[in-house]
Amino acid sequence: MFVMKRKLTVSFTMLVLLGRGLLADEGMWIPLLLEKYNIEEMQGMGFRLTAEDVYSINRASMKDAVVLFGGGCTGELISDRGLLLTNHHCGYGRIQAHSTLEHDYLTHGFWAMSPEEELPNPGLTATFLVRMEDVTERMLEGIDENTPFRKREKILEERASAIIDEAVKGTHYTAVVKPFFQGNQYFLFVNEVFRDVRLVGAPPSAIGKFGGDTDNWEWPRHTGDFSLFRIYADKNNMPAEYSPDNVPYQPKKFFPVSLKGVKPGDFTMVFGYPGSTARYVPSDHIEMLTENLYPELIKIRSEKLAIMNAAMEDSPAVRIQYAAKNASLSNSWKRWMGEMQGLEKMQVIDRKKVFEREFSNWVQADKQRTEKYGRLLAQYDSLYGIFGKYNLLYQYFNEVFFRYGSEIILFAGNFRVLEDYWQGDSSLAAYDAPVERLQQVAGNFFDDYHPPVDRQMFAAVARLFETTVEEEFYPEVWKQMKKKYGNRYSEWSDGLFEQSWLDDASQVKSFLAGFSPDSVNKLIQDPAYRLSMDARRFYYLRIVPEYMRLRQQISELDRLYMKAQIEFREGERLYPDANLTLRVSYGQVMGYEPRDAVIYRHYTTLAGVMEKDDPNVYDYRVPEKLKALYREKDFGRYAENGELPVCFLATNHTTGGNSGSPVINADGHLIGINFDRVWEGVMSDLMFNPEKSRNISLDIRYVLFLIDRYAGAGYLIDEMKLVE
Ligand code: ARG
Ligand code: ASP
């Protein structure tokens, strides 16, 4: 038998089955289409409700109890007074923002004991889906493969805005039209956005983030990852900006909370906002990620995280300042490593190649298909060769200079408005607004800024930048610094920080307070500012245009390849990639085997929290009060066979954005809050493995126990509707 050299050890038929057929439990389904594609299967798996119970525009349905929480998490309503449940890590930034050394809610937790104590969160939104509609025909009418890209974009934009205008006319709703199946289908979403969302409660991080980044993306898990908010509305129950006169929102629907627990095989449904997946990409894409992009990103983040971690370990104040930044850097850093391992173990590149071979055979068997799709894979191949390079540059500039990079360089970038005005030769009064805005930005920045951390990070990333990025992509100011300092990166960083005044809160403050157009001279001589401007200029001149051009070409191929895959896989039920729209995933409660001879049970208990307890390890310090409650073993109605459940596993297909999603049982009752996935299955964004891909949920009984016994906030339990 012919065996391809590259570790093709899986049998061909198995590959074909796995590569082509949709696997049980895989899929993020469209709520509007459940009736057509899923409900029968769901009911076959034990679901006792109807598609209308999940999504309906004629009556209250589950979708009326689910929100997009902020811009990237999910939340669910659990009382008729607007009480909202989400993850601790979703409320994290807000909890941090309310925290000071005196009132350190991150460390000690926060519980409002009355409505007056709830804390407002400017800018935080909770978005309900009012309705969705397939608008594909109207969007794509008259457009075909010969329509040039720009023309297509323009037509789509015009049509979308007309559709949106019609949809929201005379209402307070907002709307958006989103592409599905890489632009082969379009849906309209009409939303209702609430803007007064207050913090009600959060456990201490030692519970809500128990296990921290050590346990993140792993099982067995013991994290009490929840926080509570409340949506407020005006007197007519309508969305309104924050006002002390607002009242708790009365939702159309909220979830009853089940105390019945879970057993292996039980039906589970996750209803939320998965952010993005890439299920239909060619093997070239996976190669780019695992061979080129991820290894570099992992390396640079490892260095930054090591520096932050050491400083956070040394100082409680720095721990608060860098908590959210650290969590966000670390979360993807660890996921990339898990994805790489999972993709490799599952031989995803080989599987994709086998699929591509079959696909090519199918294409070549027909003349028309050959004309339409015959060059697709070859085009991908040549495009990814060069796209890989620009994609890495694009991400790397962000890791070094911008979004995830050196803080001072990113911060300095904000001051550009002053130079812009200056060049525009404006009057002093024109500066008032930008200066005021900068004062705000600076206030927020310095709250969470510790210059020694940033100084060390700059030295570290400077070194990596030079080993990873070719010289032709060094910004001009970089080259000058290189000439001066050579490879002495610490000196380089020290020089930058000593000469710059942008890392000094009081100097920035007085600069802004005494600002006059002449001050711009002082700004443009600052080395951090100069590097920031130069890096930005270079990035927008040399990297972004090429990156965008290639990305656009790939996205055009993606659209065509998706169309072809739909034809090729005719008769199969396909689900569109996640795109931060409301989706249903269903599956069942189930443990798994991470590796030979190791079997993971489907749930964890409070006993496991105590097992992990270790006062010497920050991530594993169990609060005294929780230990006392454990010793008393007084778990009341929240226990099962004398144990207090903490987390459980199921086979639901989820991704980033699904955090905080309600996990619902066969009767439509809340049994858990989704918050993570397991290490061996985390590549499910790219390929789902039914044997290893599991979502991790917090058992709702642990949440209730903590609210009731730990926090003594039983009044919140009284608001809920418990099902015993
Ligand atoms: N891995 C989970 C998700 O992707 C949880 C992340 C928050 N926890 C953390 N340790 N950073 O969001
Ligand atoms: N933890 C993720 C989130 O924040 C969920 C996941 O990726 O499984 O949405």
Side-chain angles (χ1 to χ4, degrees), residues 8 10-20 346-347 350-351 354:
L8 249 191
V10 197
S11 87
F12 194 80
T13 21
M14 209 171 117
L15 280 175
V16 171
L17 278 174
L18 286 168
R20 291 203 53 181
M346 213 185 163
Q347 303 178 20
D350 287 341
R351 276 173 210 260
V354 170

Side-chain angles (χ1 to χ4, degrees), residues 260-322:
K260 289 183 185 161
V262 296
K263 317 185 289 306
D266 279 359
F267 174 87
T268 54
M269 168 179 148
V270 172
F271 201 10
Y273 281 87
S276 95
T277 57
R279 179 62 181 89
Y280 303 100
V281 292
S283 56
D284 305 276
H285 184 87
I286 311 284
E287 273 171 347
M288 172 184 78
L289 296 182
T290 57
E291 286 162 24
N292 177 356
L293 186 66
Y294 286 174
E296 294 298 338
L297 295 184
I298 290 168
K299 228 189 295 171
I300 191 167
R301 288 209 179 175
S302 301
E303 299 235 0
K304 288 189 266 189
L305 286 165
I307 292 165
M308 278 189 199
N309 285 336
M312 287 165 77
E313 197 62 51
D314 278 355
S315 148
V318 174
R319 183 174 295 282
I320 298 180
Q321 289 179 314
Y322 282 78

Side-chain angles (χ1 to χ4, degrees), residues 72-73 89 217 654-659 674-677:
C73 273
H89 79 260
W217 300 114
T654 55
T655 187
N658 267 126
S659 272
N674 184 75
F675 72 95
D676 207 5
R677 282 170 286 162

Side-chain angles (χ1 to χ4, degrees), residues 22-37:
L22 186 73
L23 306 162
D25 305 313
E26 176 175 1
M28 299 167 170
W29 304 100
I30 297 179
L32 176 67
L33 304 179
L34 291 183
E35 184 66 49
K36 193 163 162 196
Y37 293 121

Side-chain angles (χ1 to χ4, degrees), residues 14 80 133 137 204 301 320 419 444 572:
M14 209 171 117
D80 61 1
E133 185 184 329
E137 261 178 51
R301 288 209 179 175
I320 298 180
E419 194 185 344
N444 294 337
E572 272 178 58

Side-chain angles (χ1 to χ4, degrees), residues 89 209 212-213 216-217 221 225 327-328 330-331 659 675-676:
H89 79 260
K209 207 187 170 197
D213 289 305
N216 191 22
W217 300 114
R221 193 62 160 276
D225 197 345
S328 105
S330 146
N331 194 42
S659 272
F675 72 95
D676 207 5

